[in-house]
Amino acid sequence: MPEDPIAHSELAALTRRFEETSAQDSREFGIIKSDLTAVRLQVGNLDQKVENLSSHVTQRLDGLERKIDGFIDEQRTANATMVELLSSLVGKSTDK
């Protein structure tokens, strides 16, 4: 069977397009892979920042909780003192 020059030309053109597309796909895949790596690094950095912020907020809340507890204790002491003072005045005449 004789070789068909048109078929050879078409086959060569298809092969060339396939190779060009394959090379382009490889480049685009490399770009996507690089971008994905960058996104992973950014997510890792954000995760670390969130963890640090969470730790800082927890420490601040613990400090605030201690201050509130101290204030409540002081308020209870002041209330008890006022009750004692008022109780000692009950029944005493203010006319002197």
Side-chain angles (χ1 to χ4, degrees):
M1 195 168 195
E3 291 187 14
D4 184 354
I6 295 174
H8 271 277
S9 173
E10 290 293 321
L11 184 59
L14 287 172
T15 301
R16 197 170 43 256
R17 276 188 267 170
F18 173 79
E19 289 171 349
E20 288 171 357
T21 302
S22 178
Q24 183 179 355
D25 289 349
S26 293
R27 282 191 304 276
E28 290 174 356
F29 178 75
I31 291 168
I32 291 169
K33 189 175 175 184
S34 175
D35 289 349
L36 182 58
T37 299
V39 167
R40 284 181 177 158
L41 288 172
Q42 289 175 349
V43 167
N45 288 339
L46 287 174
D47 188 45
Q48 186 176 9
K49 287 179 181 180
V50 166
E51 182 64 34
N52 290 341
L53 181 60
S54 175
S55 175
H56 179 70
V57 167
T58 299
Q59 289 173 356
R60 295 280 309 253
L61 287 175
D62 288 345
L64 184 58
E65 184 178 5
R66 284 192 296 277
K67 287 180 180 179
I68 290 171
D69 287 345
F71 175 76
I72 289 172
D73 288 343
E74 288 176 17
Q75 196 63 40
R76 284 183 180 143
T77 301
N79 288 346
T81 302
M82 284 192 292
V83 167
E84 286 177 24
L85 290 172
L86 290 172
S87 294
S88 69
L89 293 175
V90 171
K92 292 189 176 179
S93 174
T94 57
D95 297 332
K96 287 199 179 183

